[in-house]
Amino acid sequence: MRDHVKSKDFHRHMRSLLASGFQGLGWESQTAGKCSFARGGRVCWLQVSQYSNGIMGAKFTINMTEGSGPAGDTRILFRLDEADRTVGKALEASIIARLPRPDPDPEIEVVGDNGQPVLVKLGDLARANPRQWDAPSDVWLPYFGKNDLDDWAAFLLPRLERLTAASSSEKIDPQLWAQRFRRLTRLFRPK
């Protein structure tokens, strides 16, 4: 049976696939070992699930920090529209269908749609979380080999601009406005 892509190789491979798309939108690749990109006060990075193994592979999502502190951390795949979700769900099904399967098809423990562990057959993996692709769910993209990552990158690249667009909270960052206000009031202070 072939090995699934480990976290270190995942980040290296995804950086090579996504860097040009992010850079074309003004993001700079960060030098750390993770697949992450920065623009202004925002950082966008790929997160691999801690639940992975050589049978089912792994899954990942995309996070973005907007502003300061953990309250600014956001998963951005919730921004996928209905057409994106239809395409993504079909791609997920094809990736799961090509997972290498031992015989007999094993039962594996995964996190279900209610956040609790459930046992499912490997062939029924997509059914473990059937509402994942319903808006506005937290979407995790499954992969086993580099070809799966290639497919997800092809899915993500044309959507990057919309997924990483500034949110209204970033457009009107209270700290930025306070800083600008202080500068403005200094102009009117008596000397």
Side-chain angles (χ1 to χ4, degrees):
M1 183 174 285
R2 62 190 176 122
D3 288 332
H4 76 283
V5 177
K6 305 290 190 283
S7 180
K8 180 179 175 183
D9 295 327
F10 164 86
H11 287 287
R12 184 181 303 120
H13 190 69
M14 288 305 282
R15 180 192 309 268
S16 73
L17 296 172
L18 297 176
S20 63
F22 272 101
Q23 290 167 349
L25 296 171
W27 293 79
E28 294 180 16
S29 184
Q30 296 204 296
T31 56
K34 304 289 183 187
C35 182
S36 62
F37 305 90
R39 181 173 78 183
R42 299 185 305 153
V43 178
C44 195
W45 76 97
L46 279 62
Q47 175 186 351
V48 177
S49 171
Q50 63 184 357
Y51 303 103
S52 67
N53 60 47
I55 295 175
M56 66 178 207
K59 47 190 175 170
F60 72 97
T61 193
I62 305 175
N63 296 311
M64 184 164 47
T65 299
E66 300 180 87
S68 58
D73 290 353
T74 310
R75 297 239 169 86
I76 63 173
L77 293 179
F78 79 89
R79 295 178 178 182
L80 293 170
D81 63 24
E82 199 59 38
D84 297 336
R85 289 173 182 275
T86 301
V87 173
K89 186 175 185 175
L91 180 53
E92 176 188 53
S94 73
I95 288 171
I96 289 171
R98 64 184 184 221
L99 282 172
R101 282 198 185 69
D103 190 23
D105 196 4
E107 280 195 334
I108 55 174
E109 185 177 280
V110 296
V111 177
D113 64 352
N114 62 359
Q116 299 298 318
V118 294
L119 284 175
V120 295
K121 294 274 190 190
L122 186 58
D124 294 331
L125 195 57
R127 293 186 195 141
N129 191 350
R131 293 189 290 257
Q132 167 170 281
W133 291 99
D134 297 344
S137 294
D138 186 15
V139 178
W140 288 78
L141 310 176
Y143 68 91
F144 192 87
K146 287 185 177 180
N147 56 335
D148 303 330
L149 298 177
D150 296 344
D151 290 348
W152 284 125
F155 170 79
L156 293 168
L157 283 169
R159 295 164 175 86
L160 279 181
E161 184 171 17
R162 183 168 27 90
L163 293 172
T164 62
S167 69
S168 58
S169 63
E170 182 188 8
K171 291 175 187 172
I172 309 172
D173 183 340
Q175 291 178 348
L176 180 61
W177 281 105
Q179 183 181 29
R180 288 178 182 165
F181 183 73
R182 282 191 299 274
R183 285 185 201 151
L184 183 62
T185 56
R186 283 186 206 137
L187 296 173
F188 299 105
R189 287 188 185 151
K191 305 241 179 197

